[in-house]
Amino acid sequence: MTAELHYKSITELSDLYRRRELKPSEVTQASLDRIAQFDKRFNAYMTVLGERALRQAKKADDEIAKGIHRGPLHGVPIGLKDLCYTAFAPTGGGTMIHAKFVPSHNATVVDRLELGGAISIGKLKMTEGAYTSHHPEDDAPLNPWSADHWVGSSSSGSGVATSAGLCYGAIGSDTGGSIRFPSATCGLTGIKPTWGRVSRYGVFPLADSLDHVGPMCRSAADAAAMLGVIAGADPNDPTALQAPVPNYLAQLGGGMRGLRIGVDRSYTQDGIDPQVVKALIEAERALAALGAGIREVRFPAYEKLVSQWIPMCSVETAEAHLATYPSRKSEYGPDLAQLIDQGHTMTGVEIAAIHHERLKFTGALAALFEDIDLLLVPTMPVPIPTLTKMGEYGADPNVLLNILRFTAPFDFSGSPTITMPMGMSSDAMPLSFQLVGPHLSEHVLARAGHAYQSITDWHTRRPPIG
């Protein structure tokens, strides 16, 4: 099996299976071999489920041989972020406290993936509690594009494994940017769905009202395939949306013609690194060449809301950890502990003020989408920082908040986004942008992303790892 196999798209694999040119067992064994070869370098996996994955693959072999096709993920090795409950493996959520916790049931997203025939090849590392940093006792995943550069948080293992060809797609979660940052830093395509589009049942929370679960893949088509399997209402999660799930894959061919793309040049260019601005302008030109109409818009006031992301997150995180914090505080890493401590100091009046600011922003953004279909923004205001630079950022809350400029607002509003590569920086690292849509517009986002990727090749670039 050559390296090219590990970078096949999900849709390509599905087609090869149907034509009997490949078997899921062959692909799964090749994936396990690649994990054995490379993951000691990258630290993407918390747990590799080799024997179970091969049993699943053999079952998929037999079903496909009988003409049974469960969908586009049938027989495809997928990685699970380690905050997704699995009754067949520990689910630690990046913590030491829960490192040996084996739930009695699976997360809904896990059950839906496996019902669709996906092969759960392993549990992927993540930052502690899905916040900003890994637990001090854990070896953090390393960016396959450059080990000296930030890999993003919190879905770090999901980004690394998918980018390095150690799985064909992965589950991520996003509270302030944790699908989008690792997608950006690893050259991937990620969809942060509308809040509630994907069930959070059996998913460790960071901040329930901000948490989103979604796919991280190597193309818009693959992300659409995964989203179509995991999305939908769930009786176990009353916050999951009841809206029917469209066939995202079937709608990919609609193209960009007629779509109205909003651009606020002050929001997306003022104070932004020139490399990011230049690549974003090129992405805008590509979208216009595909037939999209570009409209100048004014983005709602966001600065105050972004400054309130950490306080809001702290309150909800404190609530999520009541069973173990502060009773087992010594087992927590410093960053997550500090966040929870802050949450315990917040007053009801302060929380109400954040809630009101959130409502105002969400309403203003919804009004903006009355005049446009999608909004074009960068994913990050700077090229991917080095680990040294990220350490400096962590010491300056103002710089850290600037990193959240293009991500946190859309967690507050629950808006869906698609994140895609749009170029390369001067140090040969991926650059990334987002398209943002109104609630439940994932079909439009996937369609637009697929159109963009049909005339660009940034998403086909691979890290230099062999």
Side-chain angles (χ1 to χ4, degrees), residues 129 205-207 312-322 336 339-340:
L206 173 58
M312 188 67 198
C313 188
S314 75
V315 172
E316 297 198 24
T317 305
E319 189 277 331
H321 287 260
L322 283 174
L336 184 58
L339 180 74
I340 295 173

Side-chain angles (χ1 to χ4, degrees), residues 70-396:
R70 294 175 177 262
L73 301 187
H74 197 179
V76 177
I78 298 295
L80 306 173
K81 186 173 179 178
D82 199 32
L83 47 55
C84 299
Y85 279 23
T86 47
F88 48 83
T91 301
T95 70
M96 293 297 107
I97 286 178
H98 300 294
K100 297 181 180 180
F101 168 59
V102 180
S104 61
H105 62 277
N106 293 334
T108 296
V109 289
V110 174
D111 279 340
R112 287 181 175 170
L113 285 169
E114 297 204 337
L115 184 63
I119 294 164
S120 299
I121 198 163
K123 305 294 291 292
L124 295 162
K125 287 193 176 185
M126 54 179 285
T127 56
E128 185 184 17
Y131 191 46
T132 55
S133 61
H134 292 81
H135 192 281
E137 296 179 18
D138 188 21
D139 293 325
L142 299 177
N143 195 322
W145 289 85
S146 165
D148 295 327
H149 284 73
W150 189 44
V151 75
S153 58
S154 64
S155 309
S156 50
S158 299
V160 171
T162 307
S163 180
L166 308 183
C167 62
Y168 291 86
I171 292 293
S173 67
D174 193 304
T175 308
S178 296
I179 287 173
R180 290 163 290 169
F181 289 141
S183 293
T185 61
C186 293
L188 301 177
T189 299
I191 293 180
K192 181 190 82 68
T194 305
W195 189 83
R197 175 80 283 192
V198 176
S199 170
R200 290 176 295 109
Y201 177 72
V203 175
F204 267 124
L206 173 58
D208 268 318
S209 78
L210 298 168
D211 291 348
H212 303 65
V213 178
M216 296 170 61
C217 299
R218 294 191 288 264
S219 70
D222 284 1
M226 277 191 69
L227 183 61
V229 171
I230 63 176
D234 178 11
N236 290 315
D237 179 1
T239 69
L241 300 177
Q242 297 294 314
V245 179
N247 187 331
Y248 298 114
L249 275 178
Q251 298 185 33
L252 287 182
M256 290 292 298
R257 190 160 302 281
L259 291 181
R260 302 164 299 171
I261 308 294
V263 177
D264 181 338
R265 302 195 191 283
S266 175
Y267 177 50
T268 61
Q269 296 185 17
D270 291 355
I272 306 305
D273 187 278
Q275 293 184 74
V276 175
V277 172
K278 181 180 178 181
L280 189 69
I281 291 171
E282 289 300 318
E284 177 187 325
R285 288 172 178 163
L287 296 172
L290 286 162
I294 306 299
R295 296 194 175 189
E296 301 278 348
V297 299
R298 182 178 293 276
F299 191 68
Y302 67 93
E303 293 90 346
K304 184 177 180 180
L305 187 67
V306 170
S307 74
Q308 294 170 329
W309 182 84
I310 292 176
M312 188 67 198
C313 188
S314 75
V315 172
E316 297 198 24
T317 305
E319 189 277 331
H321 287 260
L322 283 174
T324 54
Y325 196 98
S327 61
R328 299 175 66 179
K329 182 175 180 176
S330 63
E331 297 171 68
Y332 279 72
D335 292 339
L336 184 58
Q338 182 180 26
L339 180 74
I340 295 173
D341 284 338
Q342 179 176 345
H344 283 291
T345 69
M346 295 287 292
T347 68
V349 172
E350 290 171 325
I351 297 166
I354 298 172
H355 179 62
H356 294 156
E357 189 68 24
R358 181 179 190 174
L359 290 175
K360 287 189 292 184
F361 173 81
T362 301
L365 185 62
L368 181 64
F369 282 119
E370 293 293 322
D371 298 318
I372 59 172
D373 299 297
L374 301 173
L375 185 70
L376 173 66
V377 298
T379 308
M380 295 167 54
V382 293
I384 301 168
T386 62
L387 294 175
T388 300
K389 180 63 72 174
M390 279 305 296
E392 296 171 6
Y393 287 169
D396 186 339

